[in-house]
């Protein structure tokens, strides 16, 4: 999967979990995500992760509202799930994010 993101626009994506996980499987897990540069893995931003429905834990919103400082170029992101009871950790596949210039700037 690949995402093209315009710097300055709010980063707002939906992540749908595969049906191999039962509804509610991730209740009680901590979810986090970051964007890092490619290929050097330099930190760009944390992403806020929230369940659309915290009972089914089926779909996540992954957001960062302010991206004006994000560098133009290639980046990577994934979502990490940590089971709070024992620290067991799994992550999604890594997604390529291409950060590009925006053509329209806010009117001030």
């Amino acid at each position: 999967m690949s995402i093209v993101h315009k710097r300055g626009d709010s980063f707002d994506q939906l992540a749908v979990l595969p049906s191999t996980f039962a509804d509610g499987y991730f209740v009680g897990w901590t979810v986090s995500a970051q964007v890092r540069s490619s290929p050097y893995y330099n930190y760009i931003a944390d992403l806020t992760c929230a369940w659309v429905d915290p009972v089914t834990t089926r779909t996540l919103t992954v957001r960062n509202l302010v991206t004006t400082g994000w560098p133009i170029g290639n980046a990577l992101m994934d979502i990490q799930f940590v089971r709070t009871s024992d620290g067991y950790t799994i992550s999604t596949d890594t997604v390529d994010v291409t950060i590009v210039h925006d053509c329209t700037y806010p009117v001030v």
Side-chain angles (χ1 to χ4, degrees):
M1 179 178 179
S2 179
I3 297 170
V4 175
H5 176 73
K6 288 193 173 190
R7 178 175 64 185
D9 290 358
S10 295
F11 186 87
D12 191 358
Q13 300 289 320
L14 285 177
V16 179
L17 276 67
S19 60
T20 53
F21 295 103
D23 283 357
Y25 183 88
F26 288 102
V27 170
W29 292 56
T30 301
V31 185
S32 59
Q34 290 183 334
V35 177
R36 292 188 173 267
S37 68
S38 175
Y40 303 111
Y41 295 96
N42 294 323
Y43 172 83
I44 295 174
D46 289 312
L47 303 173
T48 301
C49 301
W51 294 109
V52 171
D53 181 345
V55 174
T56 63
T57 64
R58 176 70 46 215
T59 305
L60 273 171
T61 59
V62 182
R63 293 184 176 139
N64 187 300
L65 298 180
V66 180
T67 67
T68 53
W70 289 20
I72 300 298
N74 296 324
L76 304 167
M77 68 155 283
D78 68 4
I79 303 169
Q80 187 174 77
F81 302 84
V82 179
R83 188 167 50 206
T84 53
S85 63
D86 61 1
Y88 180 79
T89 303
I90 57 175
S91 295
T92 63
D93 290 338
T94 301
V95 174
D96 293 315
V97 180
T98 303
I99 303 166
V100 299
H101 287 282
D102 197 350
C103 296
T104 303
Y105 295 97
V107 176
V108 213

